[in-house]
């Protein structure tokens, strides 16, 4: 394809070499050259972006992967989008495989919905469309005033299981919490495997404390205004809770309640009944302590291999070291987030390339074709 006649350009908004790898892979698949630009940091920390070719009347795709320095990556994206807008680009589409601040999509006590703020900033900077993958909450799409294509990585992860793991039919899919049961069920049904749902003991989490449920705090000798009476809600004790089983079409193993939300097998579970391999699925893997603790118990109960699979492998802090020293056999993630350094620290981390679906999304959007083809073999629970 001739880049000069294609009517679109593909730019990389990242200043680090490790993060431009995905952009280069996508442009190779599209048969175009990567747009000429310079993105760098001034000595005082300011971000500077220079567009070194004409973009007037073009469809521009900005590929931005999010490294550990999230705020710098956000500023690079905003400044590049604004530079392209003022250079009279026709449409500016952001290709952001992992959308940052997606975990801050709910209101907390004296906080803010940062994900909504970022969506407004991107629109103000000039973006007219976004391509992303496996948003932490699907409702985040409603924060934007322009179209959002939320692609899915599940077909690539399923393909990895079927092609790279010879004995995958002897496995069981594990949902680390009831909230993840639907996602795990969709994988289990397509692979025709059993499903285990982890039930954790109800505890007051930090998020519950932050969202105002326990406000105002109890203060002795405080004067209470009698003009406003709030509905009284009885306190629920953990020992009074009833843990319901999750029923699915495929064979189900419901794990017993445990004190921590970990993938623990009940004591009466026979070692010989444990499947050969166990897959734990999630959209983001960053803090790996729960996965590591779960793997230890599962190994004790007779699990042959344990795989942790996620779309976005952030793996910050000591995550590579903890994985390397754990009973986890493999951590399979996609290349939505750069993690080459983590792979050097931990050979157990494997990467699945998703540049194919991103490049096809770019081609279809530019040509005005339907995106439905990219969502085939996708369930509503993915």
């Amino acid at each position: 394809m001739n880049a000069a006649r294609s009517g679109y350009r593909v730019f990389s908004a990242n200043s680090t070499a490790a993060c431009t790898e995905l952009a280069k892979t996508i442009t190779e698949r599209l048969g175009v050259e990567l747009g000429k630009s310079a993105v760098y940091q001034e000595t005082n920390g300011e971000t500077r972006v220079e567009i070194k070719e004409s973009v007037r009347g073009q469809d521009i795709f900005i590929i931005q992967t999010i490294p550990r320095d999230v705020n710098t990556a956000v500023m690079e994206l905003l400044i590049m989008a604004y530079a392209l807008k003022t250079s009279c680009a026709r449409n500016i589409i952001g290709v952001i495989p992992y959308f940052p601040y997606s975990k801050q999509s709910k209101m907390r006590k004296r906080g803010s919905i940062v994900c909504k703020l970022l969506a407004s900033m991107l629109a103000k900077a000039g973006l007219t469309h976004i391509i992303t993958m496996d948003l932490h909450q699907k409702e985040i799409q409603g924060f934007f005033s322009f179209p959002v294509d939320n692609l899915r990585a599940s077909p690539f992860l399923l393909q990895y299981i079927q092609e790279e793991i010879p004995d995958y039919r002897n496995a069981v899919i594990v949902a680390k919490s009831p909230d993840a049961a639907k996602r795990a069920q969709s994988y289990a049904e397509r692979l025709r495997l059993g499903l285990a749902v982890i039930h954790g003991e109800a505890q007051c989490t930090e998020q519950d404390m932050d969202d105002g449920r326990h406000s105002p705090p109890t203060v002795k000798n405080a004067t209470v205004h009698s003009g406003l009476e709030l509905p009284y809600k009885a306190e629920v004790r953990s020992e009074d809770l009833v843990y319901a089983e999750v029923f699915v079409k495929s064979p189900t193993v419901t794990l017993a309640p445990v004190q921590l939300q970990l993938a623990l097998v009940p004591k009466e579970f026979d070692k010989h009944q444990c499947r050969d391999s166990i897959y734990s699925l999630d959209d983001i893997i960053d803090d790996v302590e729960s996965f590591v603790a779960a793997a230890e118990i599962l190994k004790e109960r007779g699990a042959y291999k344990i795989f942790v699979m996620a779309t976005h492998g952030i793996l910050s802090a000591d995550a590579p070291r903890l994985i390397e020293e754990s009973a986890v056999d493999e951590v399979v993630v996609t290349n939505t987030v750069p993690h080459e350094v983590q792979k050097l620290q931990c050979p157990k981390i494997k990467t699945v390339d998703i540049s194919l679906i991103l490049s096809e999304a770019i081609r279809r959007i530019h040509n005005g074709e339907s995106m439905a083809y990219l969502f085939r073999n996708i369930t509503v629970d993915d």
Side-chain angles (χ1 to χ4, degrees), residues 9-10 73 79 91 108 110 126 129 150 157-158 169 191 211 244 284 312 327 361:
R9 294 286 191 278
V10 179
I79 295 173
N91 293 309
R108 301 301 177 193
R110 298 187 183 89
H129 197 146
N150 183 24
L157 296 176
L158 289 169
R169 294 189 183 278
L191 292 171
D211 67 1
I284 300 174
H312 310 297

Side-chain angles (χ1 to χ4, degrees), residues 217-235:
T218 304
V219 181
K220 294 183 179 180
N221 301 326
T223 302
V224 180
H225 192 276
S226 59
L228 179 62
E229 184 176 355
L230 296 175
Y232 175 75
K233 183 178 179 180
E235 182 179 358

Side-chain angles (χ1 to χ4, degrees), residues 162-186:
Q162 293 172 328
E163 295 181 356
E164 301 297 330
I165 304 175
D167 58 346
Y168 80 93
R169 294 189 183 278
N170 295 322
V172 59
I173 302 295
V174 177
K176 69 175 185 178
S177 67
D179 294 337
K182 289 185 177 180
R183 178 192 295 266
Q185 178 182 345
S186 69

Side-chain angles (χ1 to χ4, degrees), residues 73-302:
V74 170
M75 287 304 300
E76 289 172 343
L77 179 61
L78 291 171
I79 295 173
M80 177 167 279
Y82 190 67
L84 293 167
K85 177 183 178 181
T86 54
S87 297
C88 299
R90 181 174 60 180
N91 293 309
I92 305 173
I93 300 96
V95 183
I96 316 171
Y98 167 65
F99 194 80
Y101 289 100
S102 58
K103 287 188 175 182
Q104 298 189 49
S105 58
K106 296 182 180 180
M107 187 65 181
R108 301 301 177 193
K109 180 182 177 182
R110 298 187 183 89
S112 62
I113 306 177
V114 183
C115 193
K116 168 63 176 175
L117 171 64
L118 181 56
S120 301
M121 293 168 63
L122 292 173
K124 190 67 176 179
L127 286 180
T128 59
H129 197 146
I130 276 183
I131 303 172
T132 187
M133 180 165 285
D134 282 341
L135 285 172
H136 187 59
Q137 298 289 340
K138 296 178 183 178
E139 294 79 3
I140 292 176
Q141 297 177 77
F143 292 165
F144 296 87
S145 58
F146 49 78
V148 176
D149 285 310
N150 183 24
L151 304 177
R152 305 293 194 275
S154 59
F156 296 90
L157 296 176
L158 289 169
Q159 184 181 19
Y160 181 90
I161 293 175
Q162 293 172 328
E163 295 181 356
E164 301 297 330
I165 304 175
D167 58 346
Y168 80 93
R169 294 189 183 278
N170 295 322
V172 59
I173 302 295
V174 177
K176 69 175 185 178
S177 67
D179 294 337
K182 289 185 177 180
R183 178 192 295 266
Q185 178 182 345
S186 69
Y187 277 71
E189 289 182 344
R190 280 177 285 182
L191 292 171
R192 297 185 178 182
L193 301 178
L195 172 66
V197 180
I198 306 161
H199 289 264
E201 188 172 277
Q203 295 179 348
C204 183
T205 64
E206 183 180 354
Q207 291 183 346
D208 293 336
M209 294 295 294
D210 289 343
D211 67 1
R213 299 180 196 177
H214 300 275
S215 179
T218 304
V219 181
K220 294 183 179 180
N221 301 326
T223 302
V224 180
H225 192 276
S226 59
L228 179 62
E229 184 176 355
L230 296 175
Y232 175 75
K233 183 178 179 180
E235 182 179 358
V236 180
R237 298 178 301 174
S238 60
E239 54 265 30
D240 296 333
L241 295 177
V242 177
Y243 296 90
E245 292 185 351
V246 180
F247 295 93
V248 295
K249 295 179 181 178
S250 56
T252 304
V253 180
T254 303
L255 305 188
V258 293
Q259 188 168 1
L260 298 176
Q261 293 219 3
L262 305 176
L264 303 184
V265 178
K267 294 180 180 179
E268 63 272 18
F269 196 76
D270 188 1
K271 286 185 178 182
H272 299 289
Q273 294 177 351
C274 192
R275 301 297 182 95
D276 289 344
S277 304
I278 293 182
Y279 309 98
S280 181
L281 306 171
D282 209 345
D283 60 330
I284 300 174
I285 177 170
D286 189 5
D287 184 4
V288 299
E289 292 182 357
S290 59
F291 294 102
V292 168
E296 296 293 339
I297 300 300
L298 291 170
K299 283 289 187 180
E300 292 178 2
R301 301 299 177 185

